[in-house]
Amino acid sequence: KRRATLAKKDYKCINKCKFEDEEMKEKVGLDFTELAMKADFKFCPKCGSLYPATIKKLEAYFDIIQIQGSLKKSIKLLYLANCESAIREAIIKLETRIQELAKLYNLNGTKLIGEAFKYEIDKDNNITVRPRIEINSLSDITEINEHDGIKLMLMGFFKGIRNIYMHKSINAEIYYTLNIITQVSMFLTIIEGANLVDRIE
C-alpha cells in the first residue's frame, strides 16, 4: 500500500544507467527495474544515485519539516548520493550564515560560536552585554538556559561534525547525511528567529 503511488519509472536511475534486463529476467524471472521496485531499492547499484522513488519520499519528508531553502544545493548533492559533499555544503551554509548575522567574518568553528552567542550578565541576572545573535529576549532564566543550550549544541556540532568533515575525507552513509542536513536546518531556523517561510520550492 505504501508504494501504491510509485510506478516502475520511479525505480529507474536518474543518470540513466542501463542494466542487462534480459539476462536478469533469465536468472530471476524479473527485469532489473521490476526487481528494484519489488525490493524497494533505495539507490542505483551502478552509480549510487538515489532512485526517484526514494527522492519522492525525501521530498515529502523535507516538506513536512519545512527544510531551509538555503540547503537546496546540499539536498541536490544528497539525491546524487554525493553524501560527503552534501554534508560539507550544509556546514558551509550554516557557518557562513552565523558569520553574516554576527558580523564575524574572520572567525570560524567553535571560536565563531563562542563570540556570536557570548553575553554578559550581572549578579541579578540582568543582561549587561547582549549577544550578537539572539534567539530570544533573554528576559528570564528559562530564556537564558535556552540560549546557552543552543550555543552548547552548536559548539558540539562545530567541534565534532564540522571539524571532522571540513578536515578529513569521510565516506558518509545516506541516513547519516540526512540527519546532519536536518540538524543544520534546525539550527538555521533557530538563528533566523524561527522563520519557516524560506522553504525549498
Side-chain angles (χ1 to χ4, degrees):
K1 189 174 181 182
R2 179 171 57 86
R3 298 199 291 268
T5 58
L6 299 175
K8 190 174 176 179
K9 64 182 174 59
D10 292 316
Y11 290 88
K12 287 184 180 291
C13 179
I14 59 176
N15 290 326
K16 300 184 177 174
C17 291
K18 295 190 182 298
F19 298 90
E20 299 297 327
D21 283 350
E22 290 304 316
E23 186 180 336
M24 179 66 68
K25 200 158 192 172
E26 266 185 44
K27 287 180 181 177
V28 296
L30 294 168
D31 66 31
F32 189 84
T33 307
E34 287 173 347
L35 178 64
M37 185 174 183
K38 199 175 190 68
D40 192 24
F41 287 1
K42 306 300 182 211
F43 54 85
C44 170
K46 188 170 184 181
C47 72
S49 294
L50 300 187
Y51 277 134
T54 306
I55 292 173
K56 283 182 179 181
K57 293 168 190 173
L58 288 176
E59 285 173 342
Y61 167 73
F62 289 137
D63 183 56
I64 289 168
I65 68 166
Q66 298 186 302
I67 197 85
Q68 285 285 321
S70 59
L71 296 175
K72 199 171 192 176
K73 184 177 177 183
S74 184
I75 289 166
K76 284 184 178 179
L77 288 166
L78 169 64
Y79 291 164
L80 294 171
N82 292 333
C83 294
E84 189 177 346
S85 297
I87 290 172
R88 282 206 186 103
E89 176 65 23
I91 291 169
I92 289 168
K93 286 293 181 188
L94 176 60
E95 190 164 39
T96 301
R97 189 59 184 140
I98 292 171
Q99 288 172 333
E100 291 169 350
L101 290 171
K103 295 181 171 49
L104 292 169
Y105 302 100
N106 59 328
L107 295 180
N108 54 43
T110 54
K111 287 183 179 177
L112 170 65
I113 303 304
E115 285 299 313
F117 289 84
K118 183 175 71 177
Y119 62 89
E120 292 181 17
I121 192 169
D122 65 19
K123 59 182 176 60
D124 298 316
N125 285 336
N126 296 312
I127 307 298
T128 56
V129 177
R130 301 200 71 81
R132 290 172 180 261
I133 295 179
E134 298 183 18
I135 63 167
N136 58 45
S137 63
L138 296 171
S139 62
D140 57 34
I141 193 62
T142 300
E143 291 193 347
I144 289 171
N145 286 341
E146 180 186 28
H147 179 92
D148 290 344
I150 297 301
K151 175 185 173 181
L152 290 170
M153 287 173 69
L154 279 162
M155 290 191 90
F157 182 86
F158 274 65
K159 185 76 172 175
I161 293 170
R162 182 261 184 206
N163 285 353
I164 291 170
Y165 278 93
M166 297 308 285
H167 300 299
K168 286 187 176 182
S169 180
I170 308 282
N171 184 21
E173 298 288 341
I174 287 173
Y175 78 90
Y176 193 64
T177 308
L178 179 59
N179 276 284
I180 291 175
I181 291 173
T182 301
Q183 191 171 4
V184 168
S185 182
M186 181 196 73
F187 285 139
L188 286 168
T189 299
I190 290 168
I191 66 173
E192 295 284 3
N195 177 13
L196 300 180
V197 176
D198 185 20
R199 296 175 60 189
I200 279 187
E201 294 175 0

